[in-house]
Amino acid sequence: MNDIYAIIFDLDGVICTTDKYHYLAWKALADSLGLPFDEKVNGLLRGVSRMESLEIVLGEHSADYSQEQKTALAARKNEIYKSYLSAMTPGDLSKEVRSTLYTLRQRGYLLAIGSSSKNTRQILRQLGLGEFFDAVADGTMITRSKPDPEVFLLAASMLGVRPENAVVIEDAESGVRAAKAGRFRAIGIRTEGNDPNSDITIRHLKNLTEIL
Ligand code: BG6
Ligand code: MG
């Protein structure tokens, strides 16, 4: 890829496997409410904010809950999710991800996180990446979550690069759409077959070192 100076990584499902904890926490909440929930519904939540995810989980039952009840349900899901996060250590950062990040940094790229998650800072700290990235844009700093490009535009501006000079790495369709809406180039990871919008799709994060 030409003229790329910066790489903006999604967090959940790209840097770490916290996507599986999101799944388990939503599943526990949905089960307690007697609502159906499976991997397919979970796929729709990737990249989407907590409250918007709750609306998808509630589906046609959304109108049965008041705003206060919804806030409480989202908080309950987050408590379950955080109980999984609390057990995470730097050992949960895969060797592959670690070495890919260090190789890309050595090659001179600016590296950032662009995540819808309000738990981003905690996750990075627990993985031992608290100080690693040149910029971190997350769910606490934005008003519109993916597929809106806000979080990626914020990351690019924090880095001082233009979208045309940055590539976004995403596992979510909403994230790839956000990247394209912001005029970034987009690499989809594990999105083969269901993401016609990404410029390139790769199977593993380490494949980045063959492209960048
Ligand atoms: C995204 C995840 O990174 O963050 C979504 O892909 C999640 O599944 C969203 O809903 C918000 O996360 P959090 O940690 O703020 O509830
Ligand atoms: Mg993701």
Side-chain angles (χ1 to χ4, degrees), residues 10-14 19 46-47 146 170-172:
D10 172 50
L11 179 67
D12 297 317
V14 169
D19 50 330
R46 286 177 190 269
K146 303 167 189 177
E170 263 291 351
D171 69 321

Side-chain angles (χ1 to χ4, degrees), residues 131-168:
E131 308 296 324
F132 179 81
F133 290 95
D134 300 299
V136 174
D138 69 29
T140 66
M141 306 157 92
I142 55 170
T143 54
R144 296 175 303 278
S145 84
K146 303 167 189 177
D148 191 284
E150 186 179 0
V151 80
F152 295 137
L153 291 171
L154 178 62
S157 94
M158 288 165 86
L159 292 174
V161 300
R162 293 166 8 155
E164 300 90 296
N165 300 123
V167 62
V168 166

Side-chain angles (χ1 to χ4, degrees), residues 10-12 22 26 42 45-50 53 77-78 81 115-120 123 139 146 171-172:
D10 172 50
L11 179 67
D12 297 317
H22 277 298
W26 283 122
N42 190 58
L45 312 183
R46 286 177 190 269
V48 177
S49 74
R50 196 180 307 163
S53 296
K77 181 269 171 177
N78 195 46
Y81 178 61
S115 169
S116 303
S117 173
K118 295 189 159 107
N119 292 299
T120 295
I123 293 169
K146 303 167 189 177
D171 69 321

